[in-house]
Amino acid sequence: MKKTIQQQAGTVAALLLIAGMIFLRVRISYAGFDVGSSNFTFFWLAGRMELEGQNPYDPTQYLAGHETYGIKWQPNRIFPYPLPLALLFIPFGYLSLINAYLCFQVLSLVIMAASIHVLLGGWHTGAHRRLLIPLFASFFFFGPMYLTLHTGSIGAFAILTILGTIKLLEKQKSLAAGFLLSLIILKPPQGLTILLLAGVWFLARRDWQAILGMILGGLSLLIIGLVQDPWWVVKFRGASEAVMDRTLGVHSNVWAFSYLACKGASPCSTLLGGTLALVLLGLAGLFLWKNPAKVTAWEAFNVILPAAFVSTVYLWAYDQVTYIIPIVWITGILVERTKSYLPAFLFLIILDLYSLFALLQQASTDKDLWSLGTTLIVVGVSFGLLYLNRKRPIHSGVVIP
């Protein structure tokens, strides 16, 4: 009975701490950020337009919406994301821009906290449950998460999608897992490479249900978009090309480094970038193909996420917020292997410091090249621990006072 009361008190204390951190973060955003200059305006305006029966892929209506709601930042002529994504933001369209932004921040932080809790629950130990607050607090200083909240990006949606996929796969619900994972294509540049590598792993496992789920999910999104606008695919492609043309050589991927190495010359940059992307995807795909049963769903996505991001044609530091999934795994494994919190906390501190350094470099240069280091840290430690787990399996539980 005493232990149960202590556990309940601990749970209440953890919830209060998380709520307090969320409140402080949202208050900072309310006091010191121009929401009209954030990426969130794209999503909010698209949701408001859907609510009003307008088409976010109509340039005249979309630009008029900027004027109507006083949105000064107008880098795009239409909604620069797949049209079905606008439907998810209809509920936010009922709110004013600032209130919608704050509610979206709260929702994003709640999703992230819940995701950490669910992932840590896979160990079934008190030592790992106690990592919830330190991990959540450390992510407030993780550059990609800071930028996700600052700009109002949809990183929490990607985390929820991948987490749900992992849990469904663990429960042998492959059809639902594949269908859910298909939603990641709503972030097309990263989603496409994630689906490609996941498809390789599913194929190696002969998991036809997961592959069928991905196909059905993709077709569903296509049809939903066609109902909204029969030409949405063509329009989206044009908008995507415009975005990528104005951001050449600034991302932390092989395409940007190839562009800089070739000094922007074509076809050198295209050929070099394409070759490096294929090599990275090939190496990651080969690892997944050779280890279909030796890696868990969580471990597979620890490989898929960084490989997919570095090889894709377009990403920003905030897209790395899904690294929260491998970071939680790394932290949990470090605690399990060392039976100490010290190595795990040291890893988190190093990662936070470097990611903040990369973020400062982006702010001062308008280039996101240094964020490649964040990927290298996550990949290096992930593969190191995977290797150790194979060579020296962990047989005993974690006991930390």
Side-chain angles (χ1 to χ4, degrees):
M1 176 66 72
K2 184 177 180 180
K3 187 175 181 180
T4 302
I5 293 174
Q6 288 177 340
Q7 288 176 343
Q8 291 176 344
T11 300
V12 171
L15 290 174
L16 289 175
L17 281 170
I18 289 172
M21 285 188 281
I22 292 175
F23 173 78
L24 288 174
R25 183 63 183 83
V26 172
R27 185 169 182 176
I28 290 171
S29 296
Y30 179 76
F33 183 58
D34 179 13
V35 182
S37 300
S38 71
N39 288 5
F40 183 74
T41 58
F42 306 155
F43 308 118
W44 177 82
L45 180 58
R48 175 62 71 93
M49 291 179 69
E50 290 284 354
L51 185 63
E52 295 176 346
Q54 296 182 316
N55 182 2
Y57 272 20
D58 183 307
T60 302
Q61 294 180 1
Y62 188 70
L63 294 176
H66 284 72
E67 299 299 328
T68 300
Y69 300 109
I71 301 172
K72 297 179 181 179
W73 191 37
Q74 302 180 18
N76 308 293
R77 291 180 53 79
I78 65 172
F79 181 51
Y81 290 86
L83 190 54
L85 184 60
L87 299 178
L88 296 180
F89 284 86
I90 288 177
F92 294 97
Y94 286 98
L95 305 172
S96 66
L97 177 56
I98 181 63
N99 288 334
Y101 173 73
L102 297 176
C103 287
F104 187 70
Q105 275 210 349
V106 171
L107 178 61
S108 296
L109 287 166
V110 168
I111 288 173
M112 291 177 186
S115 298
I116 297 168
H117 173 71
V118 170
L119 290 169
L120 290 174
W123 274 280
H124 306 290
T125 70
H128 286 89
R129 284 195 297 270
R130 289 192 288 272
L131 285 170
L132 173 60
I133 297 300
L135 273 168
F136 188 63
S138 74
F139 286 139
F140 274 76
F141 302 96
F142 182 47
M145 181 168 169
Y146 174 85
L147 199 58
T148 292
L149 297 173
H150 187 68
T151 62
S153 184
I154 58 173
F157 167 79
I159 291 173
L160 193 61
T161 300
I162 296 167
L163 173 63
T165 300
I166 291 171
K167 289 302 171 182
L168 287 170
L169 288 170
E170 290 176 349
K171 295 179 179 179
Q172 308 300 317
K173 297 181 179 179
S174 295
L175 182 65
F179 190 94
L180 179 61
L181 184 60
S182 70
L183 299 183
I184 202 71
I185 199 63
L186 292 175
K187 288 277 290 182
Q190 301 82 36
L192 185 61
T193 46
I194 289 173
L195 290 174
L196 175 63
L197 289 175
V200 170
W201 188 56
F202 292 150
L203 189 60
R205 286 160 43 98
R206 303 295 189 268
D207 195 341
W208 311 117
Q209 289 290 307
I211 294 173
L212 177 61
M214 288 169 58
I215 294 171
L216 292 175
L219 289 174
S220 298
L221 291 174
L222 176 63
I223 293 170
I224 290 171
L226 291 174
V227 172
Q228 294 173 269
D229 186 328
W231 296 100
W232 81 271
V233 175
V234 175
K235 293 178 181 179
F236 171 69
R237 181 180 176 181
S240 299
E241 290 176 351
V243 171
M244 286 187 284
D245 285 345
R246 65 172 181 260
T247 55
L248 291 172
V250 302
H251 304 127
S252 58
N253 57 15
V254 295
W255 298 91
F257 283 98
S258 298
Y259 180 86
L260 295 174
C262 294
K263 298 181 179 180
S266 181
C268 170
S269 59
T270 303
L271 291 174
L272 181 58
T275 300
L276 292 175
L278 287 174
V279 168
L280 283 175
L281 290 172
L283 289 173
L286 182 63
F287 174 83
L288 296 168
W289 183 267
K290 286 193 168 186
N291 298 278
K294 292 181 181 179
V295 295
T296 65
W298 192 353
E299 292 169 345
F301 277 96
N302 290 348
V303 175
I304 290 170
L305 290 174
F309 284 174
V310 174
S311 57
T312 192
V313 295
Y314 180 88
L315 83 161
W316 289 99
Y318 53 69
D319 293 309
Q320 294 178 330
V321 74
T322 53
Y323 287 4
I324 284 175
I325 291 172
I327 290 168
V328 173
W329 181 85
I330 290 170
T331 306
I333 292 294
L334 285 172
V335 170
E336 189 176 27
R337 293 201 67 90
T338 64
K339 296 178 175 55
S340 169
Y341 290 122
L342 185 59
F345 291 166
L346 184 61
F347 163 73
L348 291 174
I349 291 170
I350 292 172
L351 184 66
D352 282 349
L353 288 175
Y354 181 83
S355 66
L356 288 175
F357 165 77
L359 193 60
L360 288 173
Q361 294 303 308
Q362 179 183 340
S364 61
T365 65
D366 291 326
K367 292 184 178 181
D368 192 30
L369 302 172
W370 283 94
S371 290
L372 179 64
T374 304
T375 298
L376 295 177
I377 293 172
V378 172
V379 168
V381 180
S382 291
F383 271 98
L385 290 174
L386 277 173
Y387 177 79
L388 278 177
N389 286 350
R390 299 295 178 270
K391 292 295 183 180
R392 290 186 289 167
I394 304 169
H395 299 294
S396 58
V398 180
V399 180
I400 300 178

